[in-house]
């Protein structure tokens, strides 16, 4: 065998190894303890901050899991919901995100992690971990969070408007929006279960209460006694619907439990999207099955679905970047 042939073969093998390394780095998978060597205290810093502050504002647990949900449904779980826009055209400027809270909370965690390990831990991972830790800290389910997400560099208002499920969506639209993210009807039911600790503004159900078909009528799928109670005691001032908040799981809002599903079965789910879960035989059967089971079973099922959601279209390896500040792409 000639020397030139051998040299050509070794050169080819070197190129092949380089190509394999490139492919591997671009399509690297999330893994538990991704920062074990590069920033071993990262998850501990996030957990400590959550535990120190969440009990002063327990409603932030619902806010953070909502932010995580909204982030993952647009360009995957890449922290793009955190980005600011000088022209107000980012995801956070879209109607579904105007009531999202917790941006400052994430920024404060990021600043602490940056002091420990500059440029190592992504905002996408910080958001995902903080959402999980806040739910656990307030008595909700634990789920595994593999890390290694990279931060996206694009954030577009219209994409958020078109991809995030809305309170007025029917079951067909909900199924489509979830399927677009690789989630099924079971995931829809289980992730809706986070409404057990949620609050809503009266404006998000004003049509159901006051003008469902444009004739000053009420949504017939909403329990009439409950609707009357809402109009009389909760959403009574038409001029303050945008600022008046209401519990999504009355009497049990601070507890992550099955009561949300009991409300839905009684036709007392606040949103049209909650009521829509009864309009499909699969989703309705899922709710009944959950109610026949234990809270522990619900926690385990919820964990499966949110772990699945947390892996939607993630950027890993050499994709995206590690932002220095969560609200801005690196210059």
């Amino acid at each position: 065998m000639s020397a030139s042939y051998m040299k050509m073969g070794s050169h080819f093998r070197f190129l092949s190894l380089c190509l394999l390394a490139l492919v591997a780095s671009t399509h690297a998978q999330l893994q538990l303890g991704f920062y074990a060597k590069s920033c071993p205290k990262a998850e501990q810093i996030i957990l400590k901050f959550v535990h120190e502050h969440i009990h002063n504002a327990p409603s932030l647990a619902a806010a953070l899991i909502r932010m995580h949900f909204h982030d993952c449904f647009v360009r995957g779980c890449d922290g793009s919901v955190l980005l600011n826009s000088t022209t107000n055209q980012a995801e956070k400027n879209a109607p579904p995100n105007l009531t999202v809270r917790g941006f400052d909370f994430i920024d404060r965690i990021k600043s602490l992690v940056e002091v420990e390990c500059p440029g190592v831990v992504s905002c996408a991972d910080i958001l995902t971990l903080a959402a999980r830790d806040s739910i656990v800290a307030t008595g909700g389910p634990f789920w595994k969070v593999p890390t290694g997400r990279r931060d996206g560099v694009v954030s577009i208002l219209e994409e958020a408007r078109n991809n995030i499920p809305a309170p007025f969506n029917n079951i067909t639209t909900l199924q489509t929006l979830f399927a677009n993210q690789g989630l099924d009807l079971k995931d829809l039911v289980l992730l809706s279960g986070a409404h057990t600790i949620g609050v809503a503004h009266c404006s998000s159900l004003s049509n159901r209460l006051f003008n469902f078909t444009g004739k000053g009528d009420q949504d017939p799928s909403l329990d009439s006694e409950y609707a009357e109670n809402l109009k009389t005691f909760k959403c009574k001032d038409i001029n303050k619907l945008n600022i008046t908040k209401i519990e999504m799981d009355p009497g049990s809002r601070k507890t992550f439990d099955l009561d949300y599903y009991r409300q839905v079965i009684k036709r007392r789910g606040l949103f049209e999207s909650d009521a829509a879960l009864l309009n499909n035989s699969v989703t309705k059967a899922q709710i009944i099955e959950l109610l026949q089971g234990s809270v522990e079973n619900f926690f385990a099922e919820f964990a499966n679905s949110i772990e699945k959601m947390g892996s939607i279209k993630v950027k890993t390896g050499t994709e995206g970047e590690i932002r220095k500040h969560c609200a801005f792409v690196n210059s």
Side-chain angles (χ1 to χ4, degrees), residues 34-46 109-123 126 322-325:
F34 178 83
Y35 301 108
K37 292 182 179 178
S38 58
C39 191
K41 293 182 181 177
E43 294 195 24
Q44 181 186 337
I45 290 169
I46 296 165
I109 296 175
K110 174 65 171 175
S111 65
L112 292 174
V113 175
E114 281 295 297
V115 169
E116 179 71 20
C117 311
V120 174
V121 183
S122 70
C123 297
I126 289 173
I322 303 297
R323 280 183 228 141
K324 294 172 185 173
H325 189 291

Side-chain angles (χ1 to χ4, degrees), residues 1-9:
M1 187 180 291
S2 69
S4 60
Y5 185 85
M6 289 175 67
K7 188 176 179 181
M8 187 185 303

Side-chain angles (χ1 to χ4, degrees), residues 91-105:
E91 289 173 33
K92 64 165 59 169
N93 304 115
N97 288 327
L98 294 178
T99 52
V100 168
R101 297 184 301 119
F103 294 108
D104 180 61
F105 194 83

Side-chain angles (χ1 to χ4, degrees), residues 264-285:
V264 171
I265 286 290
K266 291 180 192 172
R267 298 191 300 118
R268 294 185 171 194
L270 280 188
F271 296 157
E272 288 173 64
S273 57
D274 296 320
L277 298 177
L278 299 180
N279 296 334
N280 176 282
S281 59
V282 174
T283 51
K284 185 175 181 179

Side-chain angles (χ1 to χ4, degrees), residues 305-317:
S305 285
I306 200 158
E307 283 173 26
K308 189 174 170 185
M309 186 192 83
S311 298
I312 294 173
K313 300 171 188 170
V314 292
K315 294 168 179 63
T316 57

Side-chain angles (χ1 to χ4, degrees), residues 10-305:
S10 62
H11 181 65
F12 178 77
R13 282 194 298 275
F14 175 74
L15 286 176
S16 297
L17 287 170
C18 287
L19 182 61
L20 284 170
L22 179 63
V23 170
S25 67
T26 304
H27 296 284
Q29 297 298 305
L30 299 180
Q31 62 186 74
L32 291 169
F34 178 83
Y35 301 108
K37 292 182 179 178
S38 58
C39 191
K41 293 182 181 177
E43 294 195 24
Q44 181 186 337
I45 290 169
I46 296 165
L47 180 62
K48 184 171 183 282
F49 186 87
V50 168
H51 274 273
E52 286 175 350
H53 295 89
I54 201 71
H55 295 292
N56 297 326
S59 64
L60 258 179
L64 291 174
I65 200 170
R66 182 175 180 230
M67 186 192 290
H68 178 39
F69 178 84
H70 284 204
D71 182 44
C72 292
F73 266 68
V74 187
R75 292 183 170 265
C77 311
D78 68 347
S80 52
V81 72
L82 303 169
L83 286 170
N84 287 347
S85 164
T86 54
T87 57
N88 295 323
Q89 291 299 307
E91 289 173 33
K92 64 165 59 169
N93 304 115
N97 288 327
L98 294 178
T99 52
V100 168
R101 297 184 301 119
F103 294 108
D104 180 61
F105 194 83
I106 299 299
D107 286 341
R108 288 163 71 191
I109 296 175
K110 174 65 171 175
S111 65
L112 292 174
V113 175
E114 281 295 297
V115 169
E116 179 71 20
C117 311
V120 174
V121 183
S122 70
C123 297
D125 275 340
I126 289 173
L127 170 55
T128 307
L129 287 162
R132 189 273 309 276
D133 291 347
S134 67
I135 293 296
V136 175
T138 51
F142 173 88
W143 64 92
K144 296 190 290 291
V145 177
T147 44
R149 294 167 189 77
R150 306 261 299 173
D151 295 322
V153 295
V154 177
S155 186
I156 300 171
L157 184 154
E158 278 304 312
E159 292 183 355
R161 190 201 302 270
N162 295 336
N163 289 289
I164 296 172
F168 51 80
N169 286 153
N170 60 31
I171 192 64
T172 304
T173 302
L174 290 170
Q175 184 172 5
T176 299
L177 291 173
F178 271 68
N180 289 346
Q181 308 301 333
L183 301 173
D184 57 26
L185 288 173
K186 184 175 183 179
D187 298 316
L188 166 59
V189 170
L190 288 160
L191 295 173
S192 295
H195 286 173
T196 184
I197 56 167
V199 293
H201 289 86
C202 284
S203 54
S204 60
L205 64 145
S206 58
N207 276 1
R208 297 192 79 195
L209 294 176
F210 304 109
N211 199 26
F212 191 61
T213 63
K215 300 175 182 176
D217 54 345
Q218 190 174 286
D219 182 354
S221 71
L222 182 62
D223 177 73
S224 57
E225 185 181 329
Y226 185 48
E228 201 56 45
N229 181 283
L230 291 173
K231 287 191 284 188
T232 305
F233 300 106
K234 302 289 185 180
C235 304
K236 55 187 178 182
D237 190 337
I238 297 290
N239 298 314
K240 294 183 178 179
L241 296 180
N242 282 323
I243 59 173
T244 305
K245 292 180 181 177
I246 182 171
E247 297 179 352
M248 299 195 72
D249 185 0
S252 179
R253 181 177 72 82
K254 294 181 180 179
T255 309
F256 206 107
D257 56 23
L258 288 160
D259 280 359
Y260 160 76
Y261 297 115
R262 294 189 182 97
Q263 295 289 338
V264 171
I265 286 290
K266 291 180 192 172
R267 298 191 300 118
R268 294 185 171 194
L270 280 188
F271 296 157
E272 288 173 64
S273 57
D274 296 320
L277 298 177
L278 299 180
N279 296 334
N280 176 282
S281 59
V282 174
T283 51
K284 185 175 181 179
Q286 288 279 348
I287 291 174
I288 293 170
E289 186 178 329
L290 283 168
L291 287 172
Q292 289 172 342
S294 64
V295 172
E296 291 76 19
N297 174 66
F298 168 46
F299 277 21
E301 296 276 20
F302 180 87
N304 288 335
S305 285

